[in-house]
Amino acid sequence: MNLKPSIYQGLPVALLTQHGKQELIRPILEVALGCRLVHTDGYDTDLLGTFTRDVARPSSQLEACRHKARIGMALTGTTLGMASEGAFGPDPYTGWMEWDTEVLLWVDAKHGLEVIGMAQGPAQSLHRMVRTTEELMQFATEALFPEHHLVLRPDHSEHPDLYKDLSNVNSLLRAFHAARAASTCDRVFVENDLRAYCNPTRQDIIRKAAENLVQKLSSLCPHCQAPGYGITRKVLGLRCKACGHPTRLPVADIWQCVVCAHQEQRDTAHGWADPGQCDRCNP
Ligand SMILES: [Zn+2]
Ligand SMILES: [Zn+2]
């Protein structure tokens, strides 16, 4: 579904980023919405937090996005802004896998609306302590180097000296020897670089978040026509076929406008829940 005509046709949208994300996001947003992404790097986004632990992350993902979008809008003098922010941690299902959650925030100051695009998936985020070049190169293979860049530190993961932008074997080995020389225990901490331009796995998830954002911006409120009309929560309680009691299975979606108060319930399931899913019949 596309906005025809898009209310954003031809309008400039500020995007503040230093890590090459504009080239991932630009084609998806510009083709779908007809807007014009204005990239700015007039502010050091690393001051807002980085993945290599040299600056602590100050706030939640969404707040960081909001802050970056506002700075970009102020720098470029636009009423539209967007920002991207990733977060890494254990996967929400088993807790065993490294997981990447990418958020893309759209800020429309004129219409007073914010729309959030999101995508998530397994992250390419490994780390290890190594002592020899053999161990280092073994790790590099597992970490999908050189397409995915690496970061090194002497001794441990919190050491203040870090070697980044390592994207070929020569620079990796040079950094490894320097880090080992600076080490007090002949050990080097090596990990995947999680910055977007260093991590193609992350790039894929950022693209998916951009597609999700476009989809949401293309969905209009039936009442006030504002973009960003979408599902805000699910209603649970599909009834059990055997005992008739509500289960924890979804029965409907609540759709809500981000500008006016309009909302509606759309049924997503019909019929009955399998008794195997019922806490009463199958506790
Ligand atoms: Zn039951
Ligand atoms: Zn509305």
Side-chain angles (χ1 to χ4, degrees):
M1 182 167 46
N2 267 339
L3 285 180
K4 282 178 186 147
S6 162
I7 64 166
Y8 299 124
Q9 186 72 43
L11 295 183
V13 185
L15 174 63
L16 173 72
T17 172
Q18 286 175 309
H19 297 151
K21 288 183 204 163
Q22 71 276 9
E23 297 317 324
L24 305 173
I25 298 167
R26 183 197 301 283
I28 297 168
L29 268 288
E30 289 189 347
V31 167
L33 302 175
C35 60
R36 191 162 49 78
L37 247 59
V38 183
H39 172 233
T40 171
D41 54 7
Y43 183 88
D44 185 2
T45 53
D46 283 350
L47 294 174
L48 302 173
T50 68
F51 295 115
T52 38
R53 284 180 307 273
D54 37 341
V55 181
R57 300 177 74 70
S59 58
S60 81
Q61 222 173 338
L62 198 55
E63 280 170 50
C65 269
R66 205 168 274 142
H67 191 54
K68 278 198 259 186
R70 294 283 174 187
I71 293 170
M73 290 159 78
L75 286 172
T76 56
T78 57
T79 60
L80 293 168
M82 57 183 307
S84 148
E85 189 75 13
F88 292 84
D91 76 272
Y93 310 107
T94 64
W96 286 90
M97 220 186 324
E98 280 296 315
W99 199 252
D100 176 13
T101 304
E102 294 291 338
V103 165
L104 262 181
L105 179 70
W106 178 273
V107 179
D108 177 345
K110 190 176 157 200
H111 296 97
L113 67 87
E114 272 187 3
V115 179
I116 301 160
M118 255 190 76
Q120 51 184 321
Q124 180 52 48
S125 170
L126 291 179
H127 60 86
R128 190 171 298 163
M129 204 67 84
V130 296
R131 293 166 186 274
T132 63
T133 50
E134 290 72 26
E135 287 176 6
L136 175 71
M137 295 320 291
Q138 175 61 36
F139 176 85
T141 304
E142 292 173 38
L144 306 183
F145 176 83
E147 291 77 16
H148 293 73
H149 303 179
L150 301 178
V151 178
L152 303 184
R153 291 168 190 262
D155 292 337
H156 57 78
S157 63
E158 308 300 324
H159 198 284
D161 294 352
L162 81 167
Y163 303 81
K164 43 188 184 179
D165 294 309
L166 308 175
S167 56
N168 61 63
V169 175
N170 283 343
S171 67
L172 179 64
L173 288 174
R174 239 189 344 263
F176 174 72
H177 293 303
R180 200 172 54 178
S183 162
T184 56
C185 54
D186 260 358
R187 295 195 307 180
V188 174
F189 180 81
V190 53
E191 63 186 323
N192 274 118
D193 195 329
L194 299 179
R195 289 173 297 167
Y197 76 93
C198 304
N199 198 305
T201 300
R202 191 176 168 211
Q203 291 170 13
D204 286 342
I205 300 176
I206 292 173
R207 276 191 210 98
K208 287 194 184 109
E211 281 156 13
N212 180 246
L213 178 66
V214 159
Q215 204 176 22
K216 286 186 172 172
L217 284 170
S218 305
S219 171
L220 306 184
C221 170
H223 183 70
C224 75
Q225 306 301 311
Y229 189 65
I231 298 165
T232 51
R233 64 187 175 89
K234 288 185 179 300
V235 181
L236 308 182
L238 189 65
R239 289 185 183 277
C240 168
K241 194 174 184 175
C243 73
H245 269 262
T247 64
R248 280 181 274 181
L249 294 178
V251 67
D253 290 330
I254 300 295
W255 287 66
Q256 204 160 3
C257 177
V258 292
V259 174
C260 77
H262 182 78
Q263 70 167 48
E264 68 182 304
Q265 179 166 332
R266 291 188 192 171
D267 294 346
T268 53
H270 302 279
W272 301 93
D274 186 280
Q277 305 278 340
C278 173
D279 288 344
R280 263 197 161 198
C281 298
N282 188 24

